[in-house]
Amino acid sequence: MIALKIEDLKLFTSKLFVGEVFDQFLAKEAVIVTFNTFTIDGTIRSAYYSKEELEEMNTGQLSTWAMMKPFCFSLIKGKRLPVSFRIILQMSKEGTERFLASRQIAFTPDQVKGLYLNIRYEEDKLSCVTGTSVSVFTLDKTLDEEWDQAFKGFLKQNEIPFLEE
């Protein structure tokens, strides 16, 4: 787990809320504070959709960030900045499988419950904290270290400047 301070708030939020940089992630939760606190649970409610729609969407239990992004953006756009927001993104199952294989990490995809990115904005500061969750006890920190390095690489690849806190 690492905490990264994002140096260019406007650039990052543009890539998060307008661009497609984070669209492949799943959205676990978003909490946006403006004149009220808006909490969005990213869990898909399958009863809302027909069986055909669910098959066509081909998503798991969580919405993609691409699906939730317009709603979140509508809450923060305007003349005033939000008081704060917190967004929890998770790597998709397929992305997690590719990550484990490419990094040759000794966990099976079923053992990795999540590779997370916690984005937090408050008091004019934006930070990203990485996190992992596994279903087995381990003292091995390889997964954490590799996820931290991969996320820093992701930010560099997308030209998002950051500092380690």
Side-chain angles (χ1 to χ4, degrees), residues 4 15 48:
L4 304 173
K15 290 183 184 244
Y48 180 79

Side-chain angles (χ1 to χ4, degrees), residues 7 10 12-13 32 55 60 115 118 142 145 148 151 155:
E7 292 186 285
K10 188 174 183 176
F12 184 91
T13 54
I32 299 169
E55 288 173 6
L115 301 174
N118 297 286
T142 305
E145 293 164 358
D148 295 346
F151 183 65
L155 291 177

Side-chain angles (χ1 to χ4, degrees), residues 16-18 27 30-32 34 38-42 48-49 63-77 87:
L16 179 65
F17 291 108
V18 181
V31 178
I32 299 169
T34 56
F38 300 91
T39 303
I40 303 171
D41 176 356
Y48 180 79
Y49 296 103
S63 297
T64 62
W65 176 243
M67 292 167 66
M68 277 185 40
K69 176 175 64 174
F71 300 102
C72 293
F73 183 61
S74 71
L75 293 171
I76 66 159
K77 71 179 179 181
I87 299 168

Side-chain angles (χ1 to χ4, degrees), residues 16-154:
L16 179 65
F17 291 108
V18 181
E20 298 175 358
V21 171
F22 294 89
D23 284 1
Q24 77 274 14
F25 286 96
L26 301 176
K28 189 156 180 64
E29 180 182 76
V31 178
I32 299 169
V33 181
T34 56
F35 63 93
N36 286 114
T37 298
F38 300 91
T39 303
I40 303 171
D41 176 356
T43 304
I44 292 178
R45 308 294 179 213
S46 57
Y48 180 79
Y49 296 103
S50 70
K51 186 176 179 178
E52 294 79 25
E53 288 173 316
L54 285 171
E55 288 173 6
E56 184 179 309
M57 287 175 22
N58 194 28
T59 61
Q61 295 178 343
L62 295 174
S63 297
T64 62
W65 176 243
M67 292 167 66
M68 277 185 40
K69 176 175 64 174
F71 300 102
C72 293
F73 183 61
S74 71
L75 293 171
I76 66 159
K77 71 179 179 181
K79 295 178 182 176
R80 296 181 183 175
L81 291 173
V83 174
S84 66
F85 63 78
R86 184 182 79 243
I87 299 168
I88 302 172
L89 300 178
Q90 179 180 343
M91 178 71 74
S92 69
K93 182 179 178 180
E94 297 80 14
T96 300
E97 289 171 359
R98 285 192 305 274
F99 175 77
L100 294 173
S102 70
R103 302 285 176 131
Q104 299 177 343
I105 298 172
F107 285 103
T108 65
D110 291 340
Q111 292 174 320
V112 178
K113 294 171 81 176
L115 301 174
Y116 297 101
L117 172 59
N118 297 286
I119 302 166
R120 179 178 291 260
Y121 167 77
E122 59 187 351
E123 298 178 5
D124 295 325
K125 295 180 185 126
L126 195 141
S127 64
C128 295
V129 178
T130 60
T132 62
S133 176
V134 294
S135 62
V136 294
F137 175 77
T138 182
L139 295 175
D140 183 359
K141 297 297 178 195
T142 305
L143 177 64
D144 295 350
E145 293 164 358
E146 290 291 331
W147 178 235
D148 295 346
Q149 293 307 313
F151 183 65
K152 287 194 284 188
F154 173 83

